[in-house]
Each structure stands twice: as C-alpha cells, then as structure tokens.
C-alpha cells in the first residue's frame, strides 16, 4: 500500500508539473483571460469533470454505505476548500510585491512546515522524513535562486507568501486526517464545488471593479482546450489521486514527494516549450528527487 500511495503522489506531482505549461500557453494567446476569470473558469470546468464520476454506480453505492453523514462531508469539503483557496489567494497577493523566484522558494517551505504541524499534533515524524525535508528545501533554494536575491529582509509580500505555504501545509495535514473517512470522488467534488463558488465571487468582484474587462479569449478553441486540460488533469484527476495516495502516506512524506513538481514542470517546459534547462535547474532538480527517495525510506 505504501508503494501504491507513493506512486499515486508522484503521478500527482507530474500532473501538477503540466499545470504551469498549460496555463502559460493560455497566457501566450492575445487578450488572455484575467487571473480571476481563469480561476473561475477552471473551477467550473473542474466541477463539471466530477459529474460523470459521481454518477457511476460504484461511487453512489460507496457513499450510501458510508457511516459519515452528508453534513460531515459538506464540512470536510468546505474546510479543505478554505485551506486551498487561502493558499492560492495569499500567494497571488504576495506576488504583487515579491519576485516570482523568491515566491517559488517561499511557497515550497511547506515541505518543512508540514512535518512541524504533524509533530505539534503529536504525530511521529521519522528521521528520514526530516532529512528528506532538508534536502528538498535545499534543492528548491537552488532551483528558485536568482542573482541578487535577498535572503534576510522580509517584505509584506514575503510574509503573505509564507502564509500561503502554511495554509497548503494545513491542507495536506487535514487531508491526511480526514481523507480516509470519505469517498475521494465525493469529498474532492464537494471541495471543488466550494472552490468554484469562491472563485466566482472573486470573478464577480473583479468585474465590478473592472467593468471594461475584455472577453475576446472566449472564442478561442485553443484556450478552452488548455483550460479544460488544466481542470481535468492537474485538477480533478490530481485531486482524486492525491486523496487516494494520502490514505497510505503521511502528510510530511506526501509533501516531500509533491515537492518534485518543479522538476516535472522544468522537464515539460523543456520538451514542450523548448526551454533549455540550466545547470542550476539540473542540480536543484536532482536534490529534490534525492529528497523524495530519502524521505520515502523506511
């Protein structure tokens, strides 16, 4: 079961790695959607992707046999949506005043924050996990570093980005705690539906503040295909696989495995977008992969 869980989480990291490529392709088109419009559209598409899964007989039977009341499912989905939304929202606001490379590194500090949360909650964190955390953090520092990057002075954007990393750690921790109590299709669909509502509210506020927003991108088939993939692969499928994987893997180890996402992102960017991997990216990526192997040690 451990091997299955780790395999699923590596697949999730791979799917997350394709997200940047798909979204960057969307922004490469003329008059791309705003961040609010993109988030709301992806959220709604992801919710629609769950419909065929929820209509299958096996899923319905499993839900009917569940001992958890529907109110518990709603509360669990709402809580996960809050943590997920806060993680992304704080990062988006933090990026206004924090460089993308610095933000990428600060966001991935969740690889250390998650085992700390687990330790405070009374869970045992193996020494191999702590070693893996250190290696992953070092690899992410190498991967995200840039000349002139300040290391000591923290701005408001830095603190907001760290807050987003903390919320992502709480999402992973809580998913490990409550994920096994619910069918993954139902819980992730509930979470995604709440997220869609949050993003639609954001989109509505954005339209209110900017009534002249252009929607020329709506007529682009290529944009819709990229958005649909981002909602289905790194969205619906990744969410389901992540909950399945975290049934067998601790939140701390799960975070180490998911930290390989930048490695897959760099590989996909190189193969699909023609970007050339630097020596720094190769070294940082190698450290992260080593961290995943060390952190998965018994």
């Amino acid at each position: 079961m451990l091997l299955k869980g780790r395999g699923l989480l590596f697949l999730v990291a791979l799917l997350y790695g394709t997200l940047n490529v798909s979204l960057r392709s969307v922004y490469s088109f003329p008059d791309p959607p705003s961040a609010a419009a993109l988030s709301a559209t992806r959220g709604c598409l992801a919710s629609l992707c769950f419909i065929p899964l929820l209509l299958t007989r096996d899923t319905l039977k499993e839900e009917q046999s569940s001992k958890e009341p529907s109110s518990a499912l709603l509360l669990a989905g709402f809580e996960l949506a809050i943590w997920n939304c806060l993680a992304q929202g704080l990062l988006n606001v933090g990026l206004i005043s924090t460089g993308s490379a610095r933000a990428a590194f600060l966001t991935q500090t969740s690889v250390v924050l998650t085992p700390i949360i687990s330790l405070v909650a009374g869970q045992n964190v193996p020494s191999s996990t702590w070693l893996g955390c250190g290696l992953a953090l070092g690899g992410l520092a190498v991967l995200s570093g840039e000349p002139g990057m300040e290391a000591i002075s923290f701005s408001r954007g830095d603190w907001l980005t760290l807050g987003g990393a903390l919320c992502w750690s709480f999402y992973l921790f809580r998913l490990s705690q409550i994920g096994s109590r619910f069918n993954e299709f139902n819980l992730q669909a509930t979470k995604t539906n709440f997220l869609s509502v949050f993003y639609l509210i954001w989109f509505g506020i954005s339209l209110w503040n900017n009534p002249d927003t252009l929607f020329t991108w709506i007529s682009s088939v290529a944009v819709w295909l990229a958005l649909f993939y981002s909602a289905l692969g790194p969205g619906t499928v990744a969410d389901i696989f992540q909950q399945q994987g975290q049934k067998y893997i601790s939140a701390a180890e799960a975070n180490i495995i998911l930290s390989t996402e930048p490695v897959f992102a760099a590989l996909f960017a190189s193969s699909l977008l023609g970007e050339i991997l630097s020596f720094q990216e190769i070294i940082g990526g190698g450290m992260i992969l080593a961290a995943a192997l060390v952190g998965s040690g018994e």
Side-chain angles (χ1 to χ4, degrees), residues 139 161 175:
T161 304
L175 182 60

Side-chain angles (χ1 to χ4, degrees), residues 21-291:
V21 176
S22 60
L23 295 186
R24 284 166 69 180
S25 68
V26 170
Y27 284 123
S28 69
F29 289 99
D31 299 320
S34 65
L38 185 148
S39 298
T41 304
R42 282 193 67 237
C44 292
L45 288 173
S47 293
L48 291 175
C49 288
F50 273 102
I51 293 178
L53 299 174
L54 293 174
L55 290 179
T56 59
R57 182 178 301 176
D58 290 341
T59 300
L60 291 176
K61 283 183 177 180
E62 187 171 348
E63 176 63 21
Q64 290 171 355
S65 62
S66 174
K67 297 180 181 180
E68 296 289 343
S70 57
S71 59
L73 175 65
L74 290 173
L75 286 173
F78 182 76
E79 180 190 351
L80 293 178
I82 288 291
W83 290 123
N84 202 328
C85 188
L86 282 174
Q88 188 60 52
L90 288 172
L91 173 61
N92 290 340
V93 177
L95 281 170
I96 296 175
S97 56
T98 299
S100 58
R102 187 178 180 91
F105 171 66
L106 292 174
T107 298
Q108 295 298 337
T109 54
S110 61
V111 78
V112 174
L113 294 174
T114 303
I116 291 176
I117 293 172
S118 301
L119 192 65
V120 171
Q123 296 183 2
N124 179 47
V125 181
S127 57
S128 60
T129 299
W130 287 112
L131 180 57
C133 288
L135 274 173
L137 195 61
L140 290 163
V142 172
L143 199 62
S144 304
E146 60 180 13
M149 189 174 181
E150 297 180 6
I152 300 177
S153 177
F154 269 67
S155 67
R156 176 175 177 271
D158 293 339
W159 288 114
L160 289 172
T161 304
L162 280 174
L166 181 63
C167 290
W168 177 245
S169 292
F170 270 110
Y171 173 82
L172 291 175
F173 175 71
R174 290 295 292 152
L175 182 60
S176 288
Q177 283 191 317
I178 64 180
S180 60
R181 291 163 44 192
F182 302 97
N183 171 272
E184 54 268 17
F185 299 106
N186 297 306
L187 179 58
Q188 292 303 320
T190 303
K191 183 209 74 173
T192 300
N193 287 335
F194 278 122
L195 267 178
S196 298
V197 172
F198 297 157
Y199 288 141
L200 284 171
I201 293 173
W202 178 26
F203 181 49
I205 294 173
S206 176
L207 276 182
W208 180 267
N209 294 328
N210 301 283
D212 298 327
T213 301
L214 297 176
F215 292 94
T216 54
W217 58 271
I218 291 181
S219 60
S220 173
V221 175
V223 169
W224 279 103
L225 287 175
L227 287 174
F228 177 74
Y229 169 76
S230 70
L232 177 63
T236 301
V237 175
D239 283 345
I240 292 172
F241 284 175
Q242 183 176 347
Q243 182 175 336
Q244 288 179 333
Q246 286 196 233
K247 287 182 179 179
Y248 314 112
I249 303 296
S250 69
E253 184 181 340
N255 208 348
I256 295 175
I257 295 175
L258 293 178
S259 71
T260 60
E261 173 199 343
V263 179
F264 290 115
L267 292 175
F268 281 116
S270 175
S271 58
L272 299 178
L273 300 180
E275 297 182 2
I276 300 175
L277 293 177
S278 66
F279 178 74
Q280 179 177 312
E281 289 172 326
I282 294 173
I283 296 298
M287 290 178 66
I288 293 172
L289 289 177

